[in-house]
Amino acid sequence: MQQKTKNRLSALFQPQNNSFAKSAGTASTEQHKPGELDSQARLLLLVNGLFIAAGSLSGTFVNVYLWKVKSQFAPIAWFTFATHLAGALTFWIAGAYVKRFNKMNILRAGMAGSALFYMLVLLAGPLAVSYAVPLGLVQGMAVGFFWLAFNVVYFEITGPDNRDRFNGWAGLLASVGGMLAPWLSGWLISRLPGSSGYRLIFALSLALFVVGGIISFFLKKRQSEGMYAWGFSFRCLREQPEWRWAAAALAAQGMREGVFGFIIGLFVYIATKSEMTLGNFWLITSAVGLCSYYASAKWYAPRYRKWGMLIGAIVMSGILLLFFWQVSYVTLLAFGIAVSIAYPLFSMPMISTVFDLIGTNEQSARNRVEYVVLREFALDVGRLLGISLFLLVTSFSVSALTLNWLVFALGTGPLIAWLCMTRLFSAANAKQSRT
């Protein structure tokens, strides 16, 4: 049995695969042209789309719900901080299970945990603001479970020839969900009396997570091999310079995401006092993002990654200067549209290059779980740093000028990320030229 497994592994890691991404003993035998996505990749996209749609349906409005109960930034920031803290710890701890057992159970646990989160929000009602931190911990665990399993499976079923295509379609589906779900939520909340709309959208999110969990059973069981290395991330950062640059880039990206993930939606609601307008904001910006992701999925080639990412980072950072002029629905909408156009240019090279780094050779592919944990850990460290800075600054002042400078400082994270990633782009180009 051991010799048979060894032979199968050797076959999987031959150069003609163009990738070390296929899972041991579970690689699909389905034939498809280079660059195309097989049925398992498409099914994973569907599960991912449902997860994002369910989160988009209620995610933004959870923060608004907390704001309406207690109009302070601190509870929402602590809720977000707890989410990312629990997510980081979950990635690290659950990595041991994913490494040795069925990672699909972890993916389903993420769907179930997300359903549990919205059930708890429904039960807590207005008291949810008093339990912001515990609720954040529940959501963080759920998100950590899902994205850990998703990213490992994503790595296994894609390779350098179709990874950009998968990322493009994933972004496209995320844009569709981000476009329709928040608009529907805003419409329902504005039409139903009191907090009935909030209870309904939380219930709908719960239902979508359940459906996504059921569909996940059609994904094939994928086996990992070897023992989980608990200290791998620290050893990797100490011994592998390319991963130090990658982790720094991811942390810079995370600093922006941690705060922007909740503050932009709150800014829109504070400026307009309308859930329907907030839904329209996400409808418009996500529609633009849909077109941008579609174009990126179709035409964005690996050779464009370096300068495409720079353009995306400049636009995402520069558009923040608008807020020093005025923070209104118009400027927020202009910001949202600009970021929706630029974000695929920035994010797709980040994702694809880091996962290509995981698939550098046979040994790195065997440690794919640990590398995925390292990737998410770096992102969450950045998110926690960004939120900590937000909490520290806003404890002294919440004036418009203070918030503008804070948002601008955090918003330059993409430029820092690009500077770090240039080292990896240069190394990849040098490797291609040698081959």
Side-chain angles (χ1 to χ4, degrees):
M1 177 62 72
Q2 290 180 345
Q3 184 61 39
K4 183 178 180 181
T5 302
K6 183 177 180 181
N7 292 339
R8 294 173 73 184
L9 286 170
S10 299
L12 284 169
F13 291 120
Q14 290 302 314
Q16 61 262 29
N17 279 352
N18 277 332
S19 170
F20 298 104
K22 298 298 182 182
S23 176
T26 58
S28 173
T29 58
E30 180 181 349
Q31 299 296 317
H32 59 282
K33 296 179 181 178
E36 290 187 351
L37 301 176
D38 63 16
S39 60
Q40 284 290 290
R42 292 193 292 269
L43 193 58
L44 185 64
L45 282 172
L46 176 59
V47 172
N48 178 54
L50 284 170
F51 187 87
I52 291 177
S56 298
L57 192 66
S58 300
T60 297
F61 292 95
V62 168
N63 296 327
V64 174
Y65 186 66
L66 297 176
W67 177 268
K68 292 182 74 171
V69 176
K70 190 175 185 179
S71 299
Q72 296 179 1
F73 288 117
I76 300 167
W78 279 114
F79 166 77
T80 309
F81 184 92
T83 297
H84 293 307
L85 178 62
L89 293 175
T90 299
F91 260 89
W92 185 52
I93 296 171
Y97 184 94
V98 169
K99 182 79 174 182
R100 298 191 61 191
F101 303 104
N102 182 8
K103 61 183 68 67
M104 301 314 301
N105 288 337
I106 293 295
L107 186 141
R108 294 169 193 130
M111 304 291 279
S114 296
L116 173 64
F117 167 75
Y118 284 104
M119 184 181 298
L120 292 174
V121 172
L122 281 169
L123 293 173
L127 292 176
V129 71
S130 301
Y131 299 99
V133 171
L135 287 171
L137 294 175
V138 172
Q139 186 182 53
M141 289 178 60
V143 170
F145 282 140
F146 179 85
W147 288 116
L148 171 61
F150 173 86
N151 284 327
V152 173
V153 176
Y154 151 76
F155 171 74
E156 293 174 350
I157 66 177
T158 63
D161 64 326
N162 64 359
R163 195 159 283 146
D164 283 325
R165 181 180 292 271
F166 184 97
N167 292 335
W169 280 109
L172 186 69
L173 291 174
S175 295
V176 172
M179 178 176 65
L180 299 178
W183 179 85
L184 177 62
S185 297
W187 184 80
L188 290 172
I189 292 170
S190 63
R191 290 301 181 96
L192 296 175
S195 59
S196 300
Y198 282 98
R199 290 196 296 271
L200 177 59
I201 63 169
F202 295 156
L204 288 174
S205 290
L206 190 158
L208 283 177
F209 283 123
V210 171
V211 172
I214 294 171
I215 293 176
S216 71
F217 281 94
F218 293 94
L219 285 165
K220 294 178 181 177
K221 179 179 179 180
R222 315 186 71 84
Q223 181 181 349
S224 294
E225 69 283 341
M227 298 295 292
Y228 182 68
W230 290 96
F232 181 87
S233 295
F234 305 103
R235 187 169 65 251
C236 180
L237 293 176
R238 186 176 63 250
E239 299 174 356
Q240 301 183 36
E242 64 273 21
W243 272 102
R244 287 200 293 271
W245 288 112
L250 290 163
Q253 178 187 1
M255 285 187 69
R256 178 191 184 276
E257 290 182 353
V259 173
F260 280 55
F262 69 87
I263 200 66
I264 298 302
L266 277 181
F267 278 174
V268 174
Y269 178 76
I270 292 169
T272 63
K273 298 295 189 296
S274 169
E275 287 92 349
M276 187 70 253
T277 305
L278 178 57
N280 288 334
F281 172 85
W282 292 118
L283 174 69
I284 296 168
T285 56
S286 296
V288 174
L290 187 151
C291 297
S292 183
Y293 267 111
Y294 176 80
S296 297
K298 190 166 180 143
W299 292 299
Y300 209 179
R303 63 181 179 274
Y304 302 138
R305 286 178 183 175
K306 180 177 180 179
W307 301 114
M309 183 178 176
L310 176 60
I311 293 171
I314 290 173
V315 173
M316 291 167 64
S317 302
I319 195 65
L320 290 167
L321 294 172
L322 270 179
F323 295 163
F324 287 96
W325 171 54
Q326 186 182 50
V327 179
S328 65
Y329 181 70
V330 173
T331 56
L332 286 163
L333 185 60
F335 162 83
I337 291 173
V339 171
S340 296
I341 294 171
Y343 193 74
L345 298 176
F346 169 80
S347 66
M348 288 175 62
M350 282 279 291
I351 297 170
S352 297
T353 302
V354 171
F355 276 93
D356 287 349
L357 192 61
I358 298 175
T360 301
N361 52 53
E362 178 179 347
Q363 184 56 46
S364 65
R366 289 182 186 277
N367 290 119
R368 56 190 174 273
V369 173
E370 288 89 345
Y371 278 119
V372 168
V373 171
L374 171 56
R375 175 185 179 271
E376 293 301 322
F377 210 78
L379 277 169
D380 280 324
V381 166
R383 290 163 180 158
L384 293 173
L385 286 174
I387 297 169
S388 296
L389 181 60
F390 179 88
L391 284 165
L392 177 64
V393 172
T394 54
S395 68
F396 292 102
S397 173
V398 290
S399 68
L401 184 61
T402 299
L403 288 174
N404 283 343
W405 277 112
L406 177 59
V407 167
F408 181 75
L410 294 172
T412 58
L415 288 172
I416 300 173
W418 178 81
L419 288 172
C420 296
M421 290 296 292
T422 53
R423 302 298 185 104
L424 300 183
F425 294 142
S426 299
N429 291 336
K431 183 178 179 181
Q432 286 180 355
S433 64
R434 288 196 300 268
T435 57

